[in-house]
Amino acid sequence: MIEAKKFQLKLKELGIKKSFGIPDSTMKEFIHALENPTINANEGSSIAAACGHHLATKEIPLVFLQNSGLGNAVNPLASLALVYNIPMLLMIGWRGEGNNDEPQHEVMGAATAKILEALGIDYDVLSISQDKAELQVLNALEKMQTKSKPFAFLVRQKTFKGESAQKINSDLPLRADILKDLLLNADTSTKFFATTGYTGRELYTHAKEQGKLNQIFLGTGSMGHISQVALNYAKSMPAKTVYCLDGDGSLAMHLGNTLDLFKHRPKNLKYIVFNNHAHLSVNYYETVWANQSITKLLNSFGVAPAENLSSLQSEKNFSFLEIECNLDTLKDLPRPEESHLDLKKLFED
């Protein structure tokens, strides 16, 4: 395995000093080793930020991301970085590369290299040997300088070793407890849509215990898009109460979706944002939100927040609430035993 700090210092020695990106569990040790990385709203924003840095400094920047977010990066790669001949080193966590990953990574895992090839971006699979990896970096640097275009490394799981970020917890409530109570107090026709990450897995755990798997839809991928799924379900099912359970990281990733939700604001939709100020499932990297800044922003969309969870539950019109919670999750948090298609069938029946 590669020593993350040593690899970071080698990049710095070669002039790759500034980094932008979205946290990725595959590279958590490497990202932790970076000096003051900029965490952006989404992967496309990271590509654009890297372009701006290069225009100002002529340096080659680093962009780190998980391949699940490569789709967000394609547009600015194709229509900005490649158009303007802007070199940058892409470090892409390669989820779904093998057969033992989660189902939401299967499609992108198989497509990742093909997408880079279609864009004309040179790439290599980063070796787990320190010496070989450093030689690969030298080769990548030569190509970026010669061709003035991005170069990508695909990073398999267990490539890096080293320290990772440590969470700093608080006395705020547990998200899992709130989800449990929401399910317990909901009637049998209420539907819940959960964002990617631990929120969905905690919701699944409680729904399984309560025999309510038919009431939940898990947005296991497509970070930042669950609000559009919930919005258009609610518009088409006006007789049902619909909860959209979002997170601070996913809200930031595609904020325009939430703006659209507030524009339409169907009466039967209740929107909850759990804010733990972190990209939790990828190792505790902070998000952009200060205390209550989500509430202030969403309030500016023309809707006042509910006073508390009880008032949100009893409200007969569209309502929203930001709930600040701590970083703890359920112990031994399981992944769904059922396939995604089986869960979909339960939800639709």
Side-chain angles (χ1 to χ4, degrees), residues 135-147:
L135 288 175
Q136 286 177 301
V137 171
L138 291 173
N139 176 63
L141 188 62
E142 181 182 358
K143 288 189 175 182
M144 286 185 287
Q145 291 171 335
T146 302
K147 297 184 178 182

Side-chain angles (χ1 to χ4, degrees), residues 115-344:
I115 291 172
L116 295 172
E117 290 168 5
L119 292 171
I121 294 176
D122 294 326
Y123 70 93
D124 200 354
V125 178
L126 190 64
S127 173
I128 62 172
S129 162
Q130 192 93 34
D131 292 339
K132 290 181 180 178
E134 291 184 3
L135 288 175
Q136 286 177 301
V137 171
L138 291 173
N139 176 63
L141 188 62
E142 181 182 358
K143 288 189 175 182
M144 286 185 287
Q145 291 171 335
T146 302
K147 297 184 178 182
S148 293
K149 59 189 295 188
F151 184 96
F153 281 127
L154 301 183
V155 183
R156 293 185 169 110
Q157 297 189 65
K158 298 182 180 179
T159 293
F160 288 104
K161 62 181 179 180
E163 296 181 356
S164 55
Q166 300 298 314
K167 66 179 180 180
I168 301 174
N169 225 326
S170 66
D171 295 328
L172 292 168
L174 283 171
R175 178 186 53 223
D177 290 344
I178 297 167
L179 292 172
K180 181 179 181 179
D181 290 342
L182 279 173
L183 280 166
L184 281 171
N185 294 324
D187 62 45
T188 56
S189 67
T190 298
K191 297 290 190 178
F192 295 86
F193 292 79
T195 187
T196 185
Y198 292 147
T199 301
R201 289 169 61 185
E202 289 176 342
L203 182 71
Y204 165 83
T205 301
H206 290 309
K208 181 96 168 175
E209 291 172 350
Q210 297 178 30
K212 294 184 176 181
L213 288 181
N214 63 314
Q215 293 183 240
I216 68 169
F217 183 87
L218 306 179
T220 51
S222 300
M223 186 174 172
H225 290 295
I226 197 64
S227 58
Q228 278 292 323
V229 181
L231 167 62
N232 285 280
Y233 183 91
K235 288 169 65 177
S236 298
M237 291 287 194
K240 291 184 180 293
T241 299
V242 177
Y243 281 82
C244 179
L245 308 173
D246 215 341
D248 51 318
S250 56
L251 170 66
M253 185 162 281
H254 291 295
L255 187 57
N257 285 337
T258 311
L259 178 60
D260 195 40
L261 183 149
F262 273 68
K263 175 184 176 182
H264 292 278
R265 63 184 78 158
K267 291 183 177 181
N268 59 324
L269 180 61
K270 301 178 187 298
Y271 182 62
I272 296 175
V273 182
F274 290 103
N275 186 5
N276 55 20
H277 305 280
H279 290 284
L280 184 57
S281 63
V282 286
N283 212 44
Y284 315 123
Y285 291 94
E286 290 186 2
T287 55
V288 298
W289 306 106
N291 290 342
Q292 292 300 304
S293 60
I294 289 177
T295 295
K296 292 176 182 177
L297 175 68
L298 297 183
N299 191 18
S300 74
F301 292 167
V303 180
E307 291 184 11
N308 50 47
L309 190 58
S310 178
S311 63
L312 176 128
Q313 291 172 297
S314 62
E315 177 60 55
K316 301 302 181 183
N317 290 306
F318 173 80
S319 55
F320 84 92
L321 185 66
E322 173 189 4
I323 301 178
E324 292 193 88
C325 54
N326 72 33
L327 292 167
D328 279 339
T329 60
L330 288 175
K331 291 183 179 179
D332 303 317
L333 186 62
R335 296 184 184 274
E337 298 174 3
E338 301 79 5
S339 72
H340 282 62
L341 291 180
D342 286 341
L343 290 173
K344 174 174 174 276

